[in-house]
Amino acid sequence: MKKLLFCALFVFSVMLMSWGHSAPQKRTVYCGIAFYNQENLFDTIHDEGKFDQDFLPDGSYHWNTMKYTHKLANMSKVLSELCTERVKGGAAFIGLSEVENSRVLEDLVNQPALKERGYRYIHIEGPDARGIDCAALYNPRMFRPAKWTLIPPTGYYQATGHGTRGFLLVEGNLLGEKVHFIVNHWPSRAAGSFSREFVGRLVRGIVDSIQAVEADARIIIMGDLNDDPDNKSVCESLGARLNKKSVVSPQDLYNPWHQVLRKQGQGTLLYDNMWNLFDQIIFTANFLGNDRSSFKFFKSEIYMPEYITTPTGRYKGSPKRTTSSGVWTDGYSDHFPTQIYLVKDIVR
């Protein structure tokens, strides 16, 4: 009887120890990163020294308070939906191009769709003659910026005779991990391929400078590059690899959008019935791999819901623009936004 009692007590003790030391629990966390060209997000006020006259009430677009208010509501709706397929709170960080100034960003983040998420913005006035700049939105619950600067396109004007936008560099904490973002808007097609090749080398130089100080820096480059992933400016000057097998060095950059354009046949803007994919999100090799103890690349996709797509006519299927052939269409942008998901496993 005593032996039976002793055995029962021993088993009960083992069970208590097991309950107190349960197996580790794994939780999968997703994080969304996005980019969206705002297609001329101008207010109705003239900025001294900028050629913004087209977007004044007496300008060629007859831009007024009603049109501006609609534009803000339209863009904020799309921005609030980015990355929500896997992240309830939406994108942690969104790069923007073609924003006029801090006033329009203040108005944008105060739209109901974004205000309820608590989005904030980063903007530094740049040198563009028309006044269109790069900027960023971020959700402070997911990303905490530490510092940011606008890096000028040094030597670009002397080499090409054209002006262009600077590069917005933002460093911060992305859900516990240090990340560097570089937001871009490269020269237009009218400036010629050489101009974008020059800028591609400048951005590669920024990446090299970061990696010289921080060898394992996690860097995400995003923007309207005005070139496709397999154009020389992107795959050679910037050095963004088009497939994972060609990523051989920790300092290499990977571009997932070549597969989307050439294999899936999808792009972010339509020109002469041909898709281009100018809006890209490119990142360092340390976002690749199967070790999900830190954030790793999960997937890339173009966000193209039906309501931001032209439904009929000559431009059917293309992004629904704010203005088409000089007529205000109450649209969104001439580009579709792009987004990527990162994923990691948290063990507790």
Side-chain angles (χ1 to χ4, degrees), residues 10-22:
F10 176 78
V11 170
F12 184 66
S13 299
V14 170
M15 290 173 66
L16 284 175
M17 291 172 64
S18 299
W19 292 338
H21 297 82
S22 58

Side-chain angles (χ1 to χ4, degrees), residues 21-49:
H21 297 82
S22 58
Q25 298 296 309
K26 184 174 73 172
R27 183 166 67 95
T28 299
V29 175
Y30 292 93
C31 179
I33 307 296
F35 175 80
Y36 195 14
N37 181 319
Q38 300 292 280
E39 194 203 4
N40 297 320
L41 181 54
F42 281 83
D43 59 24
T44 61
I45 304 166
H46 174 57
D47 283 1
E48 191 66 32

Side-chain angles (χ1 to χ4, degrees), residues 65-292:
T65 300
M66 183 271 289
K67 292 178 180 179
Y68 176 54
T69 301
H70 277 240
K71 175 77 170 179
L72 290 169
N74 289 351
M75 303 314 290
S76 65
K77 174 176 169 58
V78 181
L79 290 164
S80 72
E81 294 173 354
L82 295 177
C83 303
T84 52
E85 178 190 353
R86 291 185 176 270
V87 184
K88 184 178 180 181
F93 187 97
I94 308 172
L96 306 176
S97 65
E98 296 200 20
V99 297
E100 183 184 16
N101 50 42
S102 292
R103 289 193 305 268
V104 300
L105 288 162
E106 187 70 29
D107 290 342
L108 185 65
V109 298
N110 277 296
Q111 295 297 299
L114 296 178
K115 189 172 183 178
E116 67 179 15
R117 299 258 181 84
Y119 275 104
R120 299 176 185 173
Y121 67 86
I122 295 171
H123 170 255
I124 299 172
E125 189 66 34
D128 185 82
R130 265 205 321 133
I132 53 172
D133 297 326
C134 294
L137 303 184
Y138 67 93
N139 187 327
R141 297 184 184 92
M142 305 177 197
F143 179 74
R144 297 197 304 274
K147 57 184 178 179
W148 55 91
T149 187
L150 187 69
I151 300 175
T154 304
Y156 175 78
Y157 179 78
Q158 292 82 351
T160 66
H162 294 280
T164 192
R165 278 71 54 175
F167 315 108
L168 181 64
L169 176 60
V170 182
E171 176 188 315
N173 185 297
L174 181 67
L175 292 171
E177 299 182 17
K178 183 179 179 181
V179 176
H180 304 262
F181 291 98
I182 308 173
V183 186
N184 301 253
H185 188 183
W186 288 10
S188 72
R189 285 268 162 134
S193 179
F194 170 77
S195 64
R196 292 182 298 282
E197 292 166 29
F198 189 97
V199 167
R201 291 190 292 273
L202 290 179
V203 178
R204 180 71 240 191
I206 296 170
V207 172
D208 291 344
S209 296
I210 296 170
Q211 292 176 334
V213 176
E214 187 182 340
D216 59 347
R218 297 165 72 76
I219 304 170
I220 298 176
I221 302 161
M222 59 173 62
D224 175 0
L225 308 187
N226 271 304
D227 261 337
D228 289 323
D230 48 10
N231 288 144
K232 188 175 180 180
S233 64
V234 184
C235 64
E236 295 185 24
S237 300
L238 178 61
R241 311 290 184 179
L242 301 182
N243 60 73
K244 292 179 181 178
K245 289 182 179 179
S246 62
V247 178
V248 295
S249 164
Q251 281 71 46
D252 281 346
L253 298 170
Y254 175 60
N255 188 345
W257 301 99
H258 182 255
Q259 304 293 322
V260 178
L261 177 64
R262 302 305 179 199
K263 299 291 180 66
Q264 300 175 26
Q266 294 180 343
T268 55
L269 68 158
L270 200 60
Y271 184 74
D272 283 344
N273 287 320
M274 294 286 292
W275 282 109
N276 291 109
L277 209 165
F278 292 171
D279 307 84
Q280 298 162 48
I281 305 173
I282 299 163
F283 43 85
T284 44
N286 45 21
F287 282 102
L288 296 176
N290 298 319
D291 178 10
R292 301 201 324 194

Side-chain angles (χ1 to χ4, degrees), residues 269-328:
L269 68 158
L270 200 60
Y271 184 74
D272 283 344
N273 287 320
M274 294 286 292
W275 282 109
N276 291 109
L277 209 165
F278 292 171
D279 307 84
Q280 298 162 48
I281 305 173
I282 299 163
F283 43 85
T284 44
N286 45 21
F287 282 102
L288 296 176
N290 298 319
D291 178 10
R292 301 201 324 194
S293 60
S294 63
F295 275 121
K296 293 296 188 291
F297 171 66
F298 180 68
K299 72 172 181 177
S300 59
E301 60 188 15
I302 301 168
Y303 188 66
M304 46 188 353
E306 187 175 339
Y307 74 88
I308 65 171
T309 302
T310 305
T312 59
R314 177 183 175 186
Y315 302 108
K316 181 179 179 180
S318 65
K320 185 180 180 182
R321 306 181 56 147
T322 303
T323 302
S324 180
S325 301
V327 178
W328 181 65

